[in-house]
Amino acid sequence: MDAIATYALRLGDDSLILGQRLSEWCGHAPVIEVDLSLANVALDQIGQATHFLNLAGELEGKGRDGDALAFRRDVMDFTNCLLVEQPNGDFAQTIARQLLFSHYQELLFTALTGSKNATIAAIAAKAVKETSYHATLASDWVIRLGDGTNESKSRMIAGLDWMWRFADELFVMDDIDAAAMTAGVGVDKAALRAAWDARIDAVLAEATLSRPAPRRATTGGRNGRHSEHLGHLLSDMQFLQRAYPGATW
Amino acid sequence: MYTTDMTGKTKAEAVAEDPALIAAFEARVANDEFIEPKDWMPEAYRKTLVRQMSQHAHSEIVGMLPEGNWISRAPNLRRKAILLAKVQDEGGHGLYLYAAAETLGTSRDEMTEALLSGKAKYSTIFNYPTLTWADIGAIGWLVDGAAIMNQVPLQRTSYGPYARAMVRICKEESFHQRQGYEIMMHLAAGTPEQKRMAQDALNRWWWPSLMMFGPPDDKSPNTAQSMRWRIKRDTNDELRQKFVDITVPQAEAIGLTVPDPALKWNEERGAYDFGEVDWEEFAAVVRGEGPVTKERIQARQKAWDDGAWVRDAARVHAEKRAAAKLAAE
């Protein structure tokens, strides 16, 4: 895959893996309204994944479509960031992941609406409205849980603590990102960091929470160096495609 | 977003009801008028409705579990999105129905507790496991198909909020039924393994689907009163027959065999004759002895227990906000 196809693949993998994770909540959330809203976010992510992965397959030109990419690659070929593959944990941990990711994704998609790749620009234009809702939903819950009971506060702190080491990876610019940016297709992710920090700090302040202490970033997802969690997610997600090769559904 | 707590409301005293009020109520119902939340209604009517509507809501919520079991394993992105949207629709139906039932003075929390304690029932069908992807097709086709038969008449049920909720629910259910049949059609035309999967799912879901219409008419003591009150509009056996007559040709069209050796077209009746449902099994499932009843209740109990701190936090946060707003005024 060339840089532009890989760029689309990364966008698709982030959405796919997060959508898959969030869908695990379906039927098990703390209250029906939360069940419905998490399913909404999951559906949006799976929709974005479908568009980005189909595009990556087209750009690759080897006859793979979004399904082939989603269901027939192994861990080392997945390019999602480590944040989205993290386990749901309790509701606070899920919401911590969503807070960090959705604000990033909203800023990213806003910038990508100006992409020279018309398909990426079009997907971003639709998805930015979705992610803006996701960011609001996550922020509202972080505020409720942070400024709720003692228990919810300590759970929210633990959830943020789990996820925080994966935040830096979102903004890393490597060769693929640089090539995509030079081509006018991708954007400078590092430049989104200041706006992201300001948004996260504002939410944490309203939630009466402190920013987690700085720590060494855990990275590698973009190059297929994942956590142990991803393999289990894939073995579940890819079961039918692997068990019945060649069948259509 | 959280429900109004109605636990503090005093329960209606058990007093003899005014015959004139009863007569006026019965006349309105017989005239196909809608009864609204603030209208006078007999206590027995209210109780029957709370039982039926909460049971219906619980069925939607528990019904998310068997299908939810396959969201993470759906075979492609399109199927995954459709299934997730469908299960989410069921959650939405549960929500409208709880809200409609709350207009009768029972809170959602009370209804949930009744479900978890085993006091309230839900459709027996959700006490069967989903073993293969074909079960997702079979549930959409048969279970949602049976649900539609039950629910279409409820759009004209006498209680206004229930009838209105059912209008929206029925639209979505008919989409669910079609997507289920489409999954089965695809499998039945697929590889031999896929066809086997589809037939196996039909074999397992056929009889439990026929049980969804409830006991036979001669063993359904509440039917007469419910029909007079326009809470029900067709008998269990009438609906079951209708379901069989519609579904058998659908199975034949995709080359699947309905697992009933007694199934035979009856020219004279213009309907299918079919075998006897295992009513002993039905009774056992109603008693809570279904194959996965324990798993279903355990999953709901776990969601309820694990979510308690979240619901508490939301309530406490709302109180803090309200207090701060008051202090600022």
Side-chain angles (χ1 to χ4, degrees), chain A residues 31-73:
Chain A
V31 64
I32 306 173
E33 287 85 343
V34 172
D35 214 303
L36 301 184
S37 51
L38 292 177
N40 256 335
V41 179
L43 270 171
D44 289 342
Q45 295 292 337
I46 289 163
Q48 294 162 13
T50 306
H51 293 306
F52 282 128
L53 294 179
N54 280 333
L55 174 65
E58 278 167 35
L59 292 171
E60 184 192 44
K62 290 185 183 163
R64 290 200 285 183
D65 62 4
D67 286 329
L69 290 168
F71 295 93
R72 293 205 292 276
R73 279 180 298 154

Side-chain angles (χ1 to χ4, degrees), chain A residues 199-216:
Chain A
R199 283 164 165 244
I200 299 298
D201 287 344
V203 173
L204 293 180
E206 198 174 342
T208 69
L209 295 169
S210 320
R211 193 181 170 90
R215 61 202 64 187
R216 181 184 161 83

Side-chain angles (χ1 to χ4, degrees), chain A residues 16 19-20 23-24 26-37 39-40 42-43 46-47 49-50 53-54 66-67 70-71 90-92 140-141 143-149 151-153 155-156 206 233 235-241 244 246-249, chain B residues 1-3 61 64-65 68 70-82 84-85 87-92 94-95 98 108 132-133 182-183 186-187 190-191 193-194 197 299-300 302-304 306-314 316-318 320-321:
Chain A
L16 174 65
Q20 177 76 7
S23 71
E24 292 169 15
C26 190
H28 305 280
V31 64
I32 306 173
E33 287 85 343
V34 172
D35 214 303
L36 301 184
S37 51
N40 256 335
L43 270 171
I46 289 163
T50 306
L53 294 179
N54 280 333
D67 286 329
F71 295 93
D90 65 5
F91 181 64
D140 288 350
W141 271 110
I143 292 163
R144 269 189 210 110
L145 299 180
D147 188 22
T149 61
E151 181 179 6
S152 67
K153 182 173 211 140
R155 285 176 181 267
M156 199 61 243
E206 198 174 342
L233 179 148
S235 66
D236 198 28
M237 183 172 83
Q238 298 178 338
F239 159 68
L240 280 169
Q241 294 265 356
Y244 299 93
T248 62
W249 304 91
Chain B
M1 79 193 281
Y2 293 91
T3 180
I61 298 301
M64 295 171 81
L65 299 170
W70 278 89
I71 293 171
S72 70
R73 291 177 290 171
N76 58 41
L77 295 170
R78 176 174 163 264
R79 294 288 184 201
K80 187 186 290 293
I82 293 173
L84 180 53
V87 180
Q88 186 196 31
D89 281 349
E90 312 293 2
L95 193 56
Y98 282 128
R108 202 206 298 182
T132 71
W133 172 251
E182 200 237 324
I183 289 176
H186 209 89
L187 293 174
T191 64
E193 289 93 340
Q194 286 176 307
M197 206 186 263
R300 288 314 309 156
K302 185 173 189 310
W304 183 246
D306 290 355
W309 68 270
V310 178
R311 298 189 299 273
D312 284 347
V316 168
H317 179 77
K320 283 185 189 178
R321 282 288 161 105

Side-chain angles (χ1 to χ4, degrees), chain A residues 9 13 16-17 64 67-80 85 220-238 241-242:
Chain A
L9 185 73
D13 283 349
L16 174 65
I17 301 302
R64 290 200 285 183
D67 286 329
L69 290 168
F71 295 93
R72 293 205 292 276
R73 279 180 298 154
D74 201 350
V75 166
M76 59 199 159
D77 293 320
F78 267 83
T79 62
N80 58 281
E85 72 197 43
R222 302 293 180 211
N223 301 310
R225 306 288 167 91
H226 290 277
S227 65
E228 291 174 348
H229 306 295
L230 185 63
H232 295 283
L233 179 148
L234 296 183
S235 66
D236 198 28
M237 183 172 83
Q238 298 178 338
Q241 294 265 356
R242 301 289 192 185

Side-chain angles (χ1 to χ4, degrees), chain A residues 7 10 13-14 17 78-86 97 100-101 104-105 108 163-174 177 187-193 196-197 215-227 230:
Chain A
Y7 195 77
R10 290 175 174 186
D13 283 349
D14 279 358
I17 301 302
F78 267 83
T79 62
N80 58 281
C81 60
L82 298 175
L83 178 65
V84 292
E85 72 197 43
Q86 292 309 304
R97 183 182 65 205
L100 306 188
F101 189 76
Y104 156 76
Q105 205 183 31
L108 177 69
M163 299 296 173
W164 198 249
R165 65 201 140 129
F166 306 112
D168 290 340
E169 186 182 33
L170 302 174
F171 305 98
V172 168
M173 290 291 288
D174 65 7
D177 294 299
V187 299
D188 183 1
K189 289 192 291 180
L192 306 175
R193 181 71 194 244
W196 183 85
D197 278 330
R215 61 202 64 187
R216 181 184 161 83
T218 306
T219 61
R222 302 293 180 211
N223 301 310
R225 306 288 167 91
H226 290 277
S227 65
L230 185 63

Side-chain angles (χ1 to χ4, degrees), chain B residues 190-209:
Chain B
T191 64
E193 289 93 340
Q194 286 176 307
K195 184 158 186 183
R196 177 174 165 240
M197 206 186 263
Q199 182 63 53
D200 177 61
L202 174 57
N203 293 349
R204 284 182 289 109
W205 290 94
W206 175 256
W207 292 106
S209 298

